Amino acid sequence: MYAQLREKAGELAGVLWREHTVYRERGGGVVIRGEHVGRWISLAPTGGENRALMRAGRLLDGGTTAPARTEVVVDLTVGTAELAAVCRRLLAEVAAAAEPVREAGRDGKKAGRTARAARPARPPRRERHTSLGSWFVLLCVAGVLGAWLYSLFGGYGY
């Protein structure tokens, strides 16, 4: 099965990218890395004859691979053009998931965030003021301090 996967991966890599690296992964599958596009594709055996699990993901800074964003089971007996079309669809889904979403920030400027990290905007924070309860505590402390000072110095008739 590995030889069939390696052969198909080599054909796919030649069709998809001019610059690529094909290597074997630990689980017995084959990975095609396109460093210049920041994406990877893997073909892994599924246990069925002439079938493989095709996964696609992106490359992170430093060359490590992010977990697969999409996956599909493909038939290896179909032509390379059909497999390349499936790969392109998976890669398009990966690219769409990694595209930044533009939102207006608090200062009115556009902030780029990924679609996955997009969250509803928080309401703007009010300036912090001393609450009524805090003022009450401060007055009580001042009163106790004043009473202590009065008993220390004011009670002797100075």
Side-chain angles (χ1 to χ4, degrees), residues 9 13 19 41 51 62 69 74 79 113 118-119 134 146:
E19 301 173 27
I41 299 170
R51 299 186 70 76
R69 295 275 185 160
V74 294
R113 291 171 38 178
R119 292 183 208 100
S134 297

Side-chain angles (χ1 to χ4, degrees), residues 65-118:
T65 59
R69 295 275 185 160
T70 58
E71 58 184 37
V72 67
V73 176
V74 294
D75 186 10
L76 296 177
T77 59
V78 300
T80 304
E82 289 86 2
L83 286 177
V86 172
C87 285
R88 286 186 183 106
R89 181 179 55 83
L90 292 177
L91 291 170
E93 290 176 14
V94 169
E99 242 177 48
V101 174
R102 296 287 190 186
E103 293 180 0
R106 195 180 305 176
D107 56 359
K109 294 180 181 177
K110 298 284 184 175
R113 291 171 38 178
T114 62
R116 184 177 199 141

Side-chain angles (χ1 to χ4, degrees), residues 25-148:
E25 63 182 349
R26 279 184 242 148
V30 180
V31 178
I32 308 166
R33 287 174 68 112
E35 297 286 341
H36 63 292
V37 292
R39 305 285 182 258
W40 60 266
I41 299 170
S42 75
L43 294 169
T46 60
E49 190 173 328
N50 295 326
R51 299 186 70 76
L53 176 66
M54 183 181 290
R55 299 182 303 150
R58 60 188 177 94
L59 298 176
L60 301 174
D61 294 335
T64 60
T65 59
R69 295 275 185 160
T70 58
E71 58 184 37
V72 67
V73 176
V74 294
D75 186 10
L76 296 177
T77 59
V78 300
T80 304
E82 289 86 2
L83 286 177
V86 172
C87 285
R88 286 186 183 106
R89 181 179 55 83
L90 292 177
L91 291 170
E93 290 176 14
V94 169
E99 242 177 48
V101 174
R102 296 287 190 186
E103 293 180 0
R106 195 180 305 176
D107 56 359
K109 294 180 181 177
K110 298 284 184 175
R113 291 171 38 178
T114 62
R116 184 177 199 141
R119 292 183 208 100
R122 289 193 308 199
R125 294 176 82 173
R126 297 183 346 208
E127 290 185 35
R128 300 212 177 219
H129 294 287
T130 307
S131 69
L132 187 60
S134 297
W135 281 114
F136 180 73
V137 169
L138 286 173
L139 286 174
C140 287
V141 169
V144 169
L145 182 64
W148 178 71

